Amino acid sequence: MSAVLQLPTAARRRIYQTLVSQPGRHWTVRTLTEALAAHATVKETSVRDTVNFLLSLRIVALVPYHRTMTVSLTSPGERALIVALRRAQSQTGV
């Protein structure tokens, strides 16, 4: 597992939590950004960068036949994000 995945920033933790909270949902950068609108620290560029990073690790997969890039969380990806979130929680004591 990538070190970046193991030690997520606050913005990435929020993105991971959002993905894990709705594992079957299809996400675009826009819908994910909108879901995180309450968190001012999470900007669209952070969401786009994180989605591309998660695609490279096969944590999320492209959903075919969509005009805009649409992704969904994979089963192994869900487990990896849960582990990363637990590890981050235990390290920060939150």
Side-chain angles (χ1 to χ4, degrees), residues 3-86:
V4 177
L5 186 62
Q6 293 178 12
L7 300 170
T9 63
R12 282 196 173 177
R13 279 195 309 271
R14 287 188 174 101
I15 294 167
Y16 297 172
Q17 289 167 340
T18 302
L19 291 170
V20 169
S21 71
Q22 298 180 47
R25 184 170 173 181
H26 293 177
W27 296 96
T28 63
V29 170
R30 175 174 282 167
T31 58
L32 191 50
T33 302
E34 289 169 355
L36 294 160
H39 304 288
T41 60
V42 183
K43 305 292 183 202
E44 184 175 345
T45 54
S46 296
V47 173
R48 182 177 295 109
D49 291 347
T50 301
V51 167
N52 284 320
F53 170 68
L54 295 175
L55 270 169
S56 73
L57 295 176
R58 295 191 171 118
I59 301 293
V60 295
L62 289 173
V63 178
Y65 311 113
H66 286 265
R67 188 174 185 151
T68 59
M69 182 175 73
T70 305
V71 297
S72 64
L73 192 57
T74 64
S75 293
E78 181 181 7
R79 290 189 296 274
L81 291 185
I82 289 170
V83 168
L85 287 167
R86 286 183 184 157

